[in-house]
Amino acid sequence: MGDNNIIDADRYGPWAVIAGGSEGVGAEMAVQLAEAGINSVLVARKPEPLEATAERVRAAGAEARTISLDLTAEDAVARVREQTDDLDVGLFIYNAGANTYGHEFATCDLDAFQPLINLNVGAMLRFTRHFSELLAERGRGGIMLVGSMSGYVGMAKIAVYSAVKAFVRLFAEGLWMEMREKGVDVVEFVLGLTRTPAMERAGLNLDGPNVNEPDDMAREGLANLANGPVYVASTCQAQIEHLSGTDRAAIVEQFNAGAAAMHPEDN
């Protein structure tokens, strides 16, 4: 333990809570935090990958607790508090919010978008509300909200997903302003296309040269906890700068054309 000097264990430890910590980038963050001497509480729906990641954390020399639950459940925060109120939590990571429904909006099932909104907005706000108060009282620590390139440009068939990801970014900016005076770092860590189980389940083409690996993204994100309010992964900074331009029609058309190539089953 303690050999990862990228992460300040005194500031962000001794415990981290990772919502969406069972696989992909969240799991790699938990292992890298363990290498820095920080224990993790891993929260996600599926118990098997949760326990597999917990074993990796323990093998790296840290403690791990697992909580299998639906983050959008009304009692989700209360159930997490049952396992964390006795801990000194220095870091909260919300790494949940994958797209769960894509459809042309004019003919969509509007109710089918609600779980997507609940996960990316409702649950994120409830969990962040709890841990931001806790960290503010503590006077140090960090909050990371894992974001997406989708939050910078509207996309056909996932317009609602793009919109909720934009919400996360703007929320992070405001929260960063509030929390920095309390000694707490806030960052939205914006990922590009990353080889995660969630991306694979979405049917994305992950064979290209510009696909990121979860362990690389985890390392970069944790190294930039203090570089809020928004830190964009280095592999997609140039693209994000382009997507932030003012010629929205050209940008949206170009990006959607490229995105269509990532979904070969839809073409």
Side-chain angles (χ1 to χ4, degrees):
M1 288 175 61
D3 60 347
N4 187 340
N5 59 12
I6 293 175
I7 306 160
D8 184 347
D10 290 333
R11 181 169 182 77
Y12 302 116
W15 283 88
V17 176
I18 307 177
S22 62
E23 59 184 23
V25 176
E28 297 304 322
M29 286 183 174
V31 173
Q32 291 176 25
L33 286 168
E35 293 169 350
I38 298 175
N39 311 303
S40 287
V41 179
L42 308 173
V43 189
R45 282 190 304 113
K46 299 178 182 178
E48 292 82 5
L50 269 175
E51 190 53 40
T53 299
E55 286 303 313
R56 293 179 63 200
V57 168
R58 293 171 188 136
E63 296 181 54
R65 296 183 183 183
T66 62
I67 307 173
S68 176
L69 56 73
D70 179 350
L71 292 168
T72 66
E74 289 187 7
D75 65 343
V77 174
R79 289 179 59 189
V80 169
R81 289 194 61 180
E82 291 173 358
Q83 297 283 345
T84 59
D85 275 358
D86 65 324
L87 303 176
D88 184 9
V89 175
L91 177 61
F92 172 63
I93 299 173
Y94 196 82
N95 179 48
N99 186 41
T100 55
Y101 179 63
H103 202 284
E104 184 180 72
F105 190 77
T107 56
C108 74
D109 175 0
L110 194 57
D111 290 339
F113 281 119
Q114 198 58 52
L116 172 65
I117 297 169
N118 291 346
L119 183 60
N120 284 275
V121 179
M124 182 274 293
L125 291 177
R126 286 192 293 274
F127 275 97
T128 305
R129 169 65 180 83
H130 168 63
F131 285 105
S132 62
E133 181 176 11
L134 183 153
L135 290 165
E137 292 174 352
R138 186 176 188 260
R140 70 186 191 283
I143 296 170
M144 176 190 289
L145 308 177
V146 178
S148 168
M149 189 185 300
S150 299
Y152 284 83
V153 59
M155 297 177 65
K157 297 186 179 179
I158 60 167
V160 174
Y161 177 68
S162 298
V164 296
K165 288 303 184 184
F167 174 91
V168 173
R169 186 175 76 256
L170 295 178
F171 169 70
E173 291 180 351
L175 185 63
W176 174 80
M177 282 295 299
E178 296 175 359
M179 297 296 286
R180 63 178 183 168
E181 297 179 355
K182 305 178 188 302
V184 179
D185 299 320
V186 175
V187 65
E188 188 210 28
F189 177 40
V190 180
L191 297 176
L193 187 62
T194 305
R195 201 184 313 276
T196 66
M199 292 289 189
E200 292 171 352
R201 289 191 292 268
L204 293 174
N205 179 2
L206 300 175
D207 295 330
N210 298 319
V211 179
N212 300 302
E213 298 300 329
D215 58 336
D216 293 334
M217 292 297 94
R219 187 171 296 104
E220 185 171 3
L222 292 174
N224 287 280
L225 280 165
N227 292 330
V230 177
Y231 178 82
V232 178
S234 57
T235 53
C236 55
Q237 288 178 1
Q239 191 170 12
I240 291 294
E241 185 174 353
H242 169 69
L243 293 177
S244 301
T246 57
D247 188 349
R248 300 309 301 167
I251 290 168
V252 171
E253 289 175 358
Q254 181 185 47
F255 190 82
N256 275 262
M262 297 299 297
H263 294 269
E265 73 282 0
D266 294 338
N267 298 330

